[in-house]
Amino acid sequence: MKIRYDLKPRSARRGEPFRPEGPLPFGQLRTDHMFLMDFADGAWSDPRIVPYGPFLLAPGAVVLHYSQEIFEGAKAFQHPDGEIYAFRIDKNAARMNRSAEGLCMPPVPPADQVQAILALLDVERLWFPEQEGASLYVRPFMIATQDSLGVKPSNRYLFCVFLSPSGPYYPAGFQEPVKLLVTRRFHRAAPGGTGAMKTGGNYAASLMAGEVAHKLGASQVLYLDTADRYIEEAGAMNHYHVTRDGRLVIPSFTDTILRSVTSESVLELGQEVLGLRVGQERIPFEPFLAALRSGEIIEAGGFGTAAVVSPVGAYVFEDGTELRVGDGRIGPNTRRIYEILTGIQRGTRPAPPGWLFQAPRQA
Ligand code: PLP
Ligand code: COI
């Protein structure tokens, strides 16, 4: 793919590293440029890196009415060698295309997605935030742009990638465990639906549940399946727990759970690296609560790109009662997983082959 560059005459960051003054929020800042590419007449065209800014969209664009939209989330880090590396973006590209298939959208060749992200990171390398726990968050997405009100797949699309220099998703970062609301009132995904796809509608549908969670002092909802029998995942991260006998368990990936790149990475690192037997199972909800009460489950948390490894300190119920996980503090297994994963991402620990993609110096 030949990318056209239309760069700002003088980038805000040209020549000086980015050292944010206060704590960097998640997802609020933008860099100077974005990647764009159009789909029409059955083909992608005009891949380009241009100044970040609004684009024109017809009020009748399919995405605005019927939510034909998909997105991804990845992260890039500056390593001690001064170079920028993106974490497992081939996995994001593959998931983007699985979401595309589910939403009747055209795939973007995975190699082109990877190239687009790396080319943009190259242009924006000075935006890497030099702050503990911060990274360059990568947001690829695709929207349906045909000006049409028929409920059918659009014939035009826009693929875009932009970057956000970001701090931790939960403001306290890894310092403080989060609480999750467990409720039978809301469900995130139903069998045969879009739960395993990364599409905006899933997140729109989770907003009300999130508001209820916040009112009860929880950060997110831990969703159950539609029959309220099994633990599924949280609104922006997979769920895991650790048992006293040294097992780390993530709910099996079904069509109602997003296949998390972070979870897959933990599963691949496995016992040799993590010192825990790792695996996936369906997790029945009531026995899970019983195991928490009995102390058989000693740690729990969430895995995600934005969430990284987020320890859960307690589960909150709609009547306001809480059930603590262990002593409510961050456990040693969770701490070790966090250190290993972030060490690999930040280049202070060796990465398994193929996990890191270096942004080439070419712009
Ligand atoms: N589950 C949901 C619903 C998510 O939105 C995310 C975030 O991307 C995850 C899980 C974690 O997936 P990943 O580790 O690929 O970021
Ligand atoms: C991510 O972790 O990358 C996500 O997309 C989660 C979220 C911010 C919706």
Side-chain angles (χ1 to χ4, degrees), residues 71-73 92 95 137 188 195 198 203 233-238 257-263 303-306:
F71 70 99
E72 272 304 322
N92 294 98
R95 188 171 63 191
Y137 183 78
R188 179 183 169 274
K198 215 159 160 56
Y203 298 81
E233 64 170 331
M237 56 192 193
N238 281 173
I257 295 180
L258 191 79
R259 184 180 281 265
S260 151
V261 176
T262 315
S263 295
F303 291 137
T305 297

Side-chain angles (χ1 to χ4, degrees), residues 148-332:
S148 163
L149 294 182
V151 181
K152 59 183 173 51
S154 169
N155 62 12
R156 302 177 83 85
Y157 296 89
L158 181 73
F159 175 77
C160 174
V161 184
F162 67 85
L163 306 175
S164 177
S166 287
Y169 190 63
Y170 303 110
F174 189 71
Q175 304 311 317
E176 226 173 89
V178 297
K179 292 180 182 177
L180 294 182
L181 171 68
V182 185
T183 170
R184 292 179 169 81
R185 203 171 128 201
F186 300 102
H187 294 93
R188 179 183 169 274
T194 56
M197 298 156 207
K198 215 159 160 56
T199 179
N202 290 344
Y203 298 81
S206 78
L207 294 175
M208 179 57 79
E211 291 301 297
V212 171
H214 295 156
K215 281 198 188 106
L216 290 163
S219 299
Q220 279 187 35
V221 172
L222 174 62
Y223 290 101
L224 306 179
D225 72 318
T226 47
D228 294 325
R229 286 192 56 205
Y230 295 102
I231 287 178
E232 300 236 294
E233 64 170 331
M237 56 192 193
N238 281 173
H239 186 263
Y240 72 86
H241 69 262
V242 179
T243 61
R244 201 171 39 203
D245 64 357
R247 285 185 312 126
L248 180 144
V249 191
I250 298 169
S252 309
F253 295 139
T254 59
D255 70 346
T256 52
I257 295 180
L258 191 79
R259 184 180 281 265
S260 151
V261 176
T262 315
S263 295
E264 289 191 311
S265 301
V266 167
L267 292 166
E268 286 172 45
L269 289 172
Q271 187 169 7
E272 209 174 297
V273 179
L274 302 176
L276 292 165
R277 283 172 285 135
V278 297
Q280 291 189 284
E281 285 167 29
R282 296 278 266 161
I283 314 290
F285 173 55
E286 293 295 345
F288 173 81
L289 293 184
L292 266 179
R293 287 195 186 95
S294 72
E296 191 197 320
I297 289 174
I298 53 173
E299 294 175 32
F303 291 137
T305 297
V308 196
V309 178
S310 289
V312 173
Y315 297 90
V316 181
F317 300 91
E318 274 194 85
D319 62 4
T321 58
E322 293 193 8
L323 178 54
R324 254 193 359 209
V325 184
D327 62 4
R329 292 202 292 250
I330 304 176

Side-chain angles (χ1 to χ4, degrees), residues 3 7 16 19 24 37 51 53 57 61 67 104 112 127 136 183 188 194 198 244 250 257 285-287 294 330 341:
I3 299 174
L7 301 186
E16 41 173 309
R19 296 198 182 92
L24 203 52
M37 183 160 70
L57 202 55
S67 301
C104 299
D112 290 351
W127 275 102
L136 267 176
T183 170
R188 179 183 169 274
T194 56
K198 215 159 160 56
R244 201 171 39 203
I250 298 169
I257 295 180
F285 173 55
E286 293 295 345
S294 72
I330 304 176
L341 184 68

